[in-house]
Amino acid sequence: MHRKASLSRAVHTAALVLSSHLEQNDLGVSIWGFALLTKPLILTALSAMTTALAIFLQFSDCQKQMEAEFQNANRALR
């Protein structure tokens, strides 16, 4: 029982440390001392890439639909 309580306390302590580190906005990763990638910068880049991916996928579907309509129109003219 004592071992379970100490393990639970250790997990709780580790979770608190991780939580306090994740709440810091100035926390970041250094790129060989050249620049500091902060949490807001990383999240902004990820959201921009996700938005671009959604737009590209939407245009890809639109292009496929236009190609199918073009082929159907060519068949109708024959």
Side-chain angles (χ1 to χ4, degrees):
M1 190 71 148
H2 175 65
R3 183 176 179 167
K4 184 177 179 182
S6 66
L7 180 62
S8 177
R9 190 173 300 135
V11 170
H12 181 70
T13 303
L16 284 176
V17 169
L18 178 64
S19 173
S20 68
H21 281 292
L22 290 177
E23 289 176 356
Q24 297 175 3
N25 281 335
D26 59 347
L27 182 70
V29 179
S30 175
I31 306 174
W32 298 284
F34 177 70
L36 184 66
L37 295 178
T38 60
K39 186 173 81 170
L41 179 63
I42 293 169
L43 292 176
T44 301
L46 286 174
S47 67
M49 287 189 293
T50 304
T51 302
L53 178 64
I55 291 171
F56 293 150
L57 289 174
Q58 187 175 13
F59 284 142
S60 173
D61 289 343
C62 182
Q63 181 182 3
K64 290 177 185 175
Q65 183 180 5
M66 288 176 61
E67 288 173 355
E69 289 176 6
F70 182 74
Q71 289 176 355
N72 289 338
N74 280 342
R75 286 186 197 137
L77 291 176
R78 291 182 192 172

